[in-house]
Amino acid sequence: MRPAIWLAAAVLLAPGHTRAAAGPPRLAARVQRIVVHVLGGPAYDRPERRFRFFDPPQTQSRWKIRFGAHWILWTDGSLWPRHSEPGDPRSWMPDTTRPADEADRRRIAAEGAPVYAHLHNGNSDSVGIELAHSGRAGDPFPAAQVRSLAWLLRSLLDLSGGRLTAANIYGHKDLDRRPAYLRASCERPGCPYFVDGRGRALRRRVDPPESLFAALAREGIAVPRPSDGDADLRRAETIAAGERPPVADPVPLSKP
């Protein structure tokens, strides 16, 4: 690639930079999945962080430039894009009483265009939405937050031009079924991982709770779900406060 062309491409792909509007807004053609996360989780190795979360500015300040979901949905229903456009506020409140208008659609399409690291082996064909929530099965999602999520999901599906449906909406736990490895530097078969009291591997990703999908169904978005989607979350919730679960140290795989 010629240097001038490479530089232009780099500028267009930089966070916060979008192409000039041309034609009706559309969700980036690369997007085949919408992935819903929550900020809180089991935090097996850090009991003090278990099922807790930070606010959007604190969370985003801890993310590397290309890491994170496309939006954080705060408890009041406000949307916090990963990178705001220059001159725009850091968050915005959608009007959930009506469908997205042209300005909303262009904004959502632009915010969903970049690729961010939010899903193991799935970033190039997805967008991610983080909800500010503990991750506990019994903790409710605020009504304003659920309404904004439903509004955003409907907007994304509409922007896909029929390419995506509710069947293309997933929970983080549906797409990342890895065990909860002990160390971030060793996350592959043969590495040590956390287990429950019966020696069964604990899941790294157990979010979001199924109650979120039930709430979305009440908003008219019926996402296909397994019969017992919270089983791994409930196992994580049995770990006593302030304690770390046991670790299994499997025999490393032999090299051929």
Side-chain angles (χ1 to χ4, degrees):
M1 183 180 290
R2 295 177 181 176
I5 297 176
W6 182 92
L7 179 60
V11 170
L12 287 170
L13 292 174
H17 185 97
T18 59
R19 299 174 187 270
R26 290 285 184 267
L27 184 63
R30 69 173 184 82
V31 178
Q32 302 299 318
R33 295 181 289 186
I34 303 169
V35 186
V36 182
H37 315 246
V38 299
L39 292 175
Y44 304 107
D45 59 336
R46 297 186 63 183
E48 74 280 3
R49 289 279 304 277
R50 188 162 297 147
F51 297 114
R52 296 182 180 180
F53 59 93
F54 297 105
D55 64 26
Q58 290 175 310
T59 299
Q60 292 176 338
S61 71
R62 287 166 166 79
W63 286 346
K64 294 180 181 179
I65 191 69
R66 282 290 178 186
F67 186 84
H70 291 74
W71 298 273
I72 294 176
L73 250 170
W74 186 236
T75 55
D76 63 357
S78 58
L79 287 168
W80 293 72
R82 180 69 187 92
H83 293 286
S84 300
E85 289 294 294
D88 282 354
R90 295 187 66 181
S91 67
W92 58 288
M93 183 70 76
D95 181 355
T96 60
T97 65
R98 57 165 178 78
D101 61 19
E102 182 75 5
D104 293 332
R105 289 165 57 83
R106 291 197 179 279
R107 184 173 200 165
I108 294 167
E111 292 171 353
V115 176
Y116 300 128
H118 66 101
L119 176 66
H120 180 66
N121 286 339
N123 299 303
S124 63
D125 68 352
S126 66
V127 291
I129 305 169
E130 287 271 13
L131 275 75
H133 185 269
S134 69
R136 287 189 180 277
D139 290 349
F141 289 86
Q145 190 180 45
V146 174
R147 285 194 298 269
S148 288
L149 175 61
W151 182 92
L152 177 58
L153 290 172
R154 287 194 191 94
S155 301
L156 290 168
L157 296 179
D158 182 54
L159 285 166
S160 78
R163 184 176 77 250
L164 305 182
T165 69
N168 300 106
I169 300 171
Y170 296 88
H172 195 184
K173 61 190 178 187
D174 302 326
L175 301 172
D176 186 350
R177 304 193 65 83
R178 291 176 295 165
Y181 288 108
L182 177 63
R183 295 184 295 271
S185 60
C186 188
E187 296 186 340
R188 60 185 182 276
C191 293
Y193 54 85
F194 290 104
V195 296
D196 64 15
R198 295 170 56 185
R200 299 173 299 177
L202 288 165
R203 287 273 306 280
R204 177 175 182 175
R205 305 300 183 194
V206 294
D207 64 302
E210 290 299 312
S211 60
L212 178 61
F213 295 107
L216 283 174
R218 291 191 290 272
E219 292 289 328
I221 301 179
V223 179
R225 300 305 306 154
S227 60
D228 194 9
D230 277 343
D232 291 303
L233 172 56
R234 286 197 296 272
R235 288 199 295 126
E237 289 183 340
T238 63
I239 301 169
E243 292 187 5
R244 283 168 43 123
V247 173
D249 196 0
V251 177
L253 297 179
S254 60
K255 295 183 180 179

